[in-house]
Amino acid sequence: MPTVKERLSGGTFKHVEGELYHFHETKKELQQIKNEILHTKADLPNVQRVQHLERVIEAISTVYDELPKEKKRLVKILYWSRPQKYNWEGIASQVPISKRQAQRWRKSIVEDIANRLGWR
């Protein structure tokens, strides 16, 4: 790990957020692919896809599990509530924290997941 904290590129940040938004669908997809592999001959692309999905799920789960309950609430509201009905002020008021604090927590959580995945 570098001693100076490197900033995530905008693309990487958005990619990690996409993984967060689709976390539950990713878990379902992984289970579906594993079931298909059990019933058919496993080909390399499926095996590689399983490995990728497992890494993403593990990184998100580990970071999420280590969060205090307020930050877990932020993740649930921001990424896993559908349909999303809150703007930043609304999200922050649900936790409850300031809008700026919610944005800082978001940045920190996304960076932690990116670090676990080696996507820096």
Side-chain angles (χ1 to χ4, degrees):
M1 281 272 160
T3 55
V4 176
K5 197 167 188 176
E6 297 173 18
R7 186 180 171 133
L8 281 182
S9 72
T12 302
F13 192 92
K14 294 258 186 239
H15 185 78
V16 173
E17 278 201 307
E19 296 291 358
L20 272 163
Y21 282 118
H22 297 101
F23 177 69
H24 297 291
E25 290 85 357
T26 300
K27 288 171 64 175
K28 289 176 188 173
E29 179 186 355
L30 176 62
Q31 190 58 50
Q32 180 182 0
I33 293 171
K34 283 183 172 182
N35 287 339
E36 290 172 7
I37 289 173
L38 286 175
H39 297 96
T40 63
K41 186 175 179 180
D43 59 352
L44 187 57
N46 273 340
V47 172
Q48 290 173 332
R49 180 75 178 148
V50 165
Q51 290 171 339
H52 170 75
L53 294 176
E54 286 177 336
R55 283 187 60 233
V56 169
I57 290 167
E58 175 67 25
I60 292 172
S61 295
T62 301
V63 169
Y64 180 80
D65 290 345
E66 293 173 355
L67 294 174
K69 68 180 181 178
E70 297 83 10
K71 290 184 180 183
K72 286 180 179 179
R73 183 156 172 74
L74 175 74
V75 169
K76 286 178 185 176
I77 294 167
L78 179 60
Y79 296 110
W80 299 338
S81 295
R82 302 249 169 76
Q84 180 53 261
K85 56 186 175 183
Y86 299 110
N87 60 17
W88 273 109
E89 286 83 9
I91 291 168
S93 72
Q94 294 295 309
V95 174
I97 53 176
S98 71
K99 171 186 167 184
R100 184 67 193 120
Q101 186 65 40
Q103 291 170 330
R104 281 193 294 268
W105 284 3
R106 167 190 170 228
K107 182 177 184 270
S108 174
I109 291 164
V110 169
E111 287 176 346
D112 287 349
I113 293 167
N115 285 338
R116 286 209 179 261
L117 289 167
W119 290 359
R120 271 214 174 263

